[in-house]
Amino acid sequence: MGHLFRRVPDGYLQSVFAGDNQIRSPALARYYDALSQLTRGEIFTRERLVAIWRFARGRYDHLLRQYAEGEYRVPMPRQVNVADLRTTPDQTPWHDARCVGVYDGGVEIDLGAVSHAASFKISLHSQAHYVVEMRLGGTTVGTRHVFTNLAMRYGMGTNLVDVPQSARDAGFDRVFVRCDFASSIDHVAALGHIEF
């Protein structure tokens, strides 16, 4: 059914591009490993035959149920420390190891300290609409909408975010990023770096 939208699991697209399992859900990552053995493993090996038998007997069904009943229904934001983000020059591909996928749960960046900055730069994948929230603890103290550069057809781009006065006054120790709409040909959203 092509007209129905499904959530893409956090890390799935990076797994496809990198060739190794980067899915963040432990249950779904185990399922993906087993499915990869079934679909991509050596044809006449014992491991593949065991995987075929286990799939036929429903031995991996509980992993899908666990994912569907938890993280799929209520995607959690990915937690990232600002110190772990690495600089991503403009036009860096979104699937570069330095980039963080922005899936349905969004990404929350822990700044490590309270900031009262008037603005900051953030690297985001091109051709998308992002919502950027400044948070103090768990409370949103300011919000900005970022429309990335539509002229840039591919890769990451640096965007300037003017911090609302309310967030400057209260201070913020986290930046939350979610994507409302990705119009690029690959329909993905990604975060590179943030700098003050």
Side-chain angles (χ1 to χ4, degrees):
M1 304 280 265
H3 66 287
L4 299 175
F5 291 97
R6 302 282 192 268
R7 284 198 176 107
V8 177
D10 191 340
Y12 172 74
L13 295 173
Q14 286 85 350
S15 299
V16 172
F17 271 88
D20 62 328
N21 190 345
Q22 297 182 30
I23 294 175
R24 296 188 54 78
S25 163
L28 195 59
R30 286 178 48 212
Y31 186 89
Y32 183 82
D33 283 339
L35 186 62
S36 295
Q37 178 65 43
L38 177 78
T39 59
R40 297 185 201 135
E42 293 285 330
I43 292 186
F44 295 112
T45 62
R46 181 183 189 286
E47 292 81 12
R48 188 167 192 212
L49 293 173
V50 168
I52 291 169
W53 183 83
R54 287 182 177 166
F55 268 99
R57 305 280 297 169
R59 295 285 175 94
Y60 298 108
D61 292 356
H62 70 285
L63 297 172
L64 277 184
R65 276 193 303 277
Q66 184 179 343
Y67 172 71
E69 292 169 2
E71 297 167 60
Y72 182 79
R73 289 180 195 251
V74 184
M76 299 299 292
R78 184 172 184 176
Q79 304 293 323
V80 177
N81 291 319
V82 71
D84 295 334
L85 297 176
R86 299 180 306 189
T87 302
T88 50
D90 286 356
Q91 298 191 359
T92 298
W94 66 265
H95 51 83
D96 186 280
R98 294 171 287 186
C99 300
V100 176
V102 179
Y103 291 89
D104 287 336
V107 176
E108 187 173 66
I109 307 160
D110 184 346
L111 302 179
V114 175
S115 174
H116 296 273
S119 66
F120 59 87
K121 291 180 181 177
I122 189 167
S123 174
L124 299 167
H125 186 252
S126 61
Q127 297 190 338
H129 169 231
Y130 293 87
V131 176
V132 179
E133 297 177 8
M134 283 59 64
R135 294 178 173 178
L136 182 60
T139 304
T140 299
V141 293
T143 302
R144 285 289 188 239
H145 295 264
V146 177
F147 297 90
T148 56
N149 185 352
L150 294 179
M152 187 184 303
R153 296 247 180 246
Y154 182 74
M156 306 299 287
T158 303
N159 303 270
L160 181 65
V161 176
D162 291 319
V163 176
Q165 191 64 49
S166 59
R168 291 184 216 174
D169 293 343
F172 55 100
D173 60 357
R174 297 174 184 279
V175 174
F176 175 76
V177 179
R178 68 180 168 84
C179 181
D180 267 358
F181 177 73
S183 62
S184 62
I185 194 165
D186 41 20
H187 299 286
V188 297
L191 162 72
H193 64 275
I194 186 169
E195 62 181 88
F196 288 86

